[in-house]
Amino acid sequence: MKPVKAGLLGLGTVGGGVVNVLSRNGKEIARRAGREIEISHASARDLKKPRICETKGIQLTSNIMEVVNDPEIDIVVELIGGDTIAHEAVMKAISNGKHVVTANKALIAKYGNEIFSEAQKKGVMVAFEAAVAGGIPIIKAIREGLAGNSIEWLAGIINGTGNFILTEMRDKGRAFADVLAEAQRLGYAEADPTFDIEGVDAAHKLTILASIAFGIPLQFDKVFMEGITAITQEDVSYATELGYRIKHLGVSRRTDKGIELRVHPTLIPHRRLIANVDGVMNAVLVKGDAVGPTLYYGAGAGADPTASAVVADIVDVVRTLTTDPENRVPHLAFQPDALSDIPILPMDEVETAYYLRMSVADKPGVLAEVASILGGKGISIEAMIQKEPAKEGSNADLIMLTHKVIEKNMNEAISAIEALNSISGKVVRIRMERLDS
Ligand code: NAP
Ligand code: HSE
């Protein structure tokens, strides 16, 4: 049988990785797919740039539409990134009747509903395993492996760059900017690295995970997001002292009132496996009603790990080339006409426990004032430490862990605490999750 021809849009970190993996493991991959897979056409902006892969034998162009319109090509692999030119190329590939594989979470999170609907009409597949958690086959695990479950919640470290920065800051005391620059050199970071550190990339990925876990449309605009830029060495040390680690988590939970969709720094008990996921590694915990808690772990970014997921998608597409389009695994795990309109819970109504740090005057009665405000909002304190002031007469750090309360009550309590004369500056608040079953 003739090889299946695929066209690559992008020959950067992931595109280069895909060429390398296909060339290294081509024979074994063909035994799995049932056909050889050939990258016959590829595009990049600058054809003179050195590449991490061999491009001999691949027709190269700087015009992406030459690849998208190439009649020889069955599968278009989009590895450009962003949601402008990539969106245009993917829509055109679908209208040309080509299957699409993409690693682009921004594109799927924002335009996935439209893309899948068009793909459905044209009877083509759009596969996106590499869009979430790099090399971890988390999409397949939830969409297929957990298909018998009602998913209750999921929580994940889903940005490799952010986890790499937090780990290096904690373990080696390195400066934020220095570690971010290294993540960029290693090819982990997004073209715009603010997406990594402000939580946008994790929010893209959480949008996709929640959709396939709960059978809801993609709703990126409803994700609550906080990044890692405000995390300080002090909070990392106090969290450790209290038996916790700070991780940047994406959390989605089904509640009676709606689905939680939130990305923020989170204190996790240090004995949880996920609290010990370090560096560029990612991990996703998924709790199903039948299976219980399950944990998926692996490299969250980088050329070869991401290529592993892209190539697996290409193999999936090749295996289904001759199948009836009506009987393929649905893009978002649930049949398109069976998606639910269960609402996304506003952040004000989300219930979590909290870590609070405040700078207080070292005099009698301050603690009672703070406790009284918290008590008035129905917030009970689980643990507390007060540090000695650095010198006599200066302020002391007061750190509290609270039991669960809805965010609205905590916001009101924090505003009232910040208005006290005995409190200086802002109250630092980090949400806490136990992540037990
Ligand atoms: P990258 O290294 O920056 O590569 C992007 C490629 O697209 C380059 O070859 C670039 O050409 C080409 N390109 C960029 N803008 C273009 C334009 N306007 N027209 C034509 N070609 C253009 O990016 P990457 O890290 O491989 O990421 C690609 C995608 O994978 C993104 O969606 C990213 O979010 C996703 N992803 C990345 C990782 C990772 O670890 N890096 C992991 C999972 C998912 P030149 O090389 O000539 O500049
Ligand atoms: N910039 C992303 C990350 C790439 O660091 O996780 C993988 O999606």
Side-chain angles (χ1 to χ4, degrees):
M1 220 186 293
K2 282 204 309 196
V4 175
K5 294 197 175 183
L8 275 193
L9 307 180
L11 275 171
T13 303
V14 185
V18 168
V19 174
N20 285 336
V21 168
L22 274 171
S23 129
R24 194 164 73 230
N25 301 337
K27 287 208 165 62
E28 219 162 324
I29 290 166
R31 283 169 56 212
R32 292 195 173 104
R35 303 262 299 268
E36 273 179 43
I37 296 162
E38 180 191 335
I39 303 291
S40 57
H41 209 163
S43 74
R45 266 180 308 205
D46 176 0
L47 298 183
K48 296 211 177 82
K49 211 189 231 183
R51 300 286 159 196
I52 60 168
C53 62
E54 177 58 74
T55 54
K56 214 160 73 189
I58 304 176
Q59 186 186 342
L60 297 180
T61 174
S62 55
N63 178 356
I64 59 166
M65 288 303 170
E66 273 181 26
V67 179
V68 171
N69 293 325
D70 180 342
E72 296 279 300
I73 279 171
D74 298 302
I75 308 169
V76 170
V77 186
E78 185 279 304
L79 302 170
I80 296 173
D83 57 15
T84 52
I85 181 168
H87 181 219
E88 205 184 310
V90 164
M91 294 309 284
K92 182 68 180 152
I94 293 170
S95 84
N96 286 348
K98 297 184 192 303
H99 302 279
V100 172
V101 171
T102 178
N104 190 337
K105 47 273 163 137
L107 178 71
I108 297 297
K110 288 176 74 176
Y111 295 108
N113 298 322
E114 171 203 6
I115 289 171
F116 298 141
S117 160
E118 281 309 298
Q120 192 78 15
K121 285 186 208 149
K122 295 292 286 187
V124 296
M125 287 179 70
V126 177
F128 52 94
E129 182 64 71
V132 183
I136 308 175
I138 186 65
I139 303 287
K140 202 178 243 311
I142 298 176
R143 192 169 57 188
E144 294 161 53
L146 300 182
N149 286 261
S150 174
I151 308 287
E152 295 172 4
W153 55 264
L154 59 86
I157 296 171
I158 46 179
N159 183 268
T161 302
N163 203 40
F164 180 63
I165 293 173
L166 289 180
T167 306
E168 293 286 304
M169 281 173 70
R170 188 196 66 213
D171 291 353
K172 301 183 189 155
R174 290 178 64 190
F176 191 105
D178 171 39
V179 192
L180 174 59
E182 190 182 347
Q184 289 179 285
R185 268 198 309 280
L186 292 168
Y188 301 158
E190 293 303 298
D192 176 355
T194 60
F195 276 35
D196 295 290
I197 61 179
E198 297 297 358
V200 182
D201 179 72
H204 288 145
K205 293 165 177 167
L206 186 70
T207 304
I208 299 171
L209 286 178
S211 184
I212 58 167
F214 302 116
I216 53 173
L218 297 149
Q219 296 166 78
F220 170 67
D221 55 337
K222 303 225 173 97
V223 185
F224 171 84
M225 77 184 96
E226 251 180 33
I228 58 169
T229 47
I231 296 178
T232 65
Q233 287 289 359
E234 288 166 289
D235 294 314
V236 171
S237 305
Y238 291 147
T240 308
E241 202 174 316
L242 288 157
Y244 291 82
R245 290 264 169 97
I246 301 179
K247 291 290 178 188
H248 194 230
L249 283 194
V251 180
S252 187
R253 192 187 309 268
R254 190 203 301 261
T255 74
D256 293 342
K257 290 186 269 172
I259 296 206
E260 294 177 9
L261 214 43
R262 52 195 169 96
V263 165
H264 49 71
T266 314
L267 261 74
I268 314 172
H270 73 91
R271 60 186 180 282
R272 296 269 176 273
L273 281 174
I274 196 167
N276 295 283
V277 170
D278 287 334
V280 74
M281 304 310 273
N282 280 191
V284 185
L285 254 169
V286 185
K287 170 83 183 344
D289 69 331
V291 70
T294 56
L295 179 65
Y296 308 84
Y297 169 83
D304 273 23
T306 312
S308 163
V310 172
V311 172
D313 272 350
I314 299 176
V315 169
D316 257 2
V317 171
V318 172
R319 283 172 174 158
T320 56
L321 281 176
T322 52
T323 60
D324 169 6
E326 294 303 312
N327 292 320
R328 291 183 185 142
V329 179
H331 292 110
L332 289 175
F334 291 70
Q335 297 299 333
D337 58 0
L339 292 185
S340 148
D341 58 3
I342 177 167
I344 304 301
L345 197 63
M347 195 58 195
D348 260 3
E349 291 176 43
V350 168
E351 201 184 49
T352 59
Y354 292 85
Y355 159 102
L356 302 177
R357 173 170 61 80
M358 57 202 90
S359 174
V360 303
D362 189 24
K363 59 179 191 192
V366 177
L367 186 55
E369 281 182 312
V370 173
S372 150
I373 291 173
L374 292 173
K377 293 287 168 196
I379 303 167
S380 57
I381 299 164
E382 181 194 300
M384 194 185 69
I385 40 180
Q386 180 162 356
K387 293 287 169 186
E388 286 292 312
K391 55 180 193 302
E392 211 180 312
S394 67
N395 272 15
D397 272 352
L398 176 64
I399 301 101
M400 290 176 161
L401 302 185
T402 76
H403 286 287
K404 280 186 178 180
V405 59
I406 59 164
E407 179 103 355
K408 179 170 175 289
N409 286 13
M410 181 52 85
N411 289 342
E412 288 169 5
I414 287 176
S415 298
I417 292 170
E418 285 173 348
L420 292 173
N421 287 333
S422 47
I423 302 289
S424 304
K426 293 275 178 204
V427 174
V428 172
R429 153 249 303 270
I430 307 178
R431 298 167 188 85
M432 276 190 357
E433 290 291 335
R434 301 221 165 274
L435 302 180
D436 46 15
S437 52

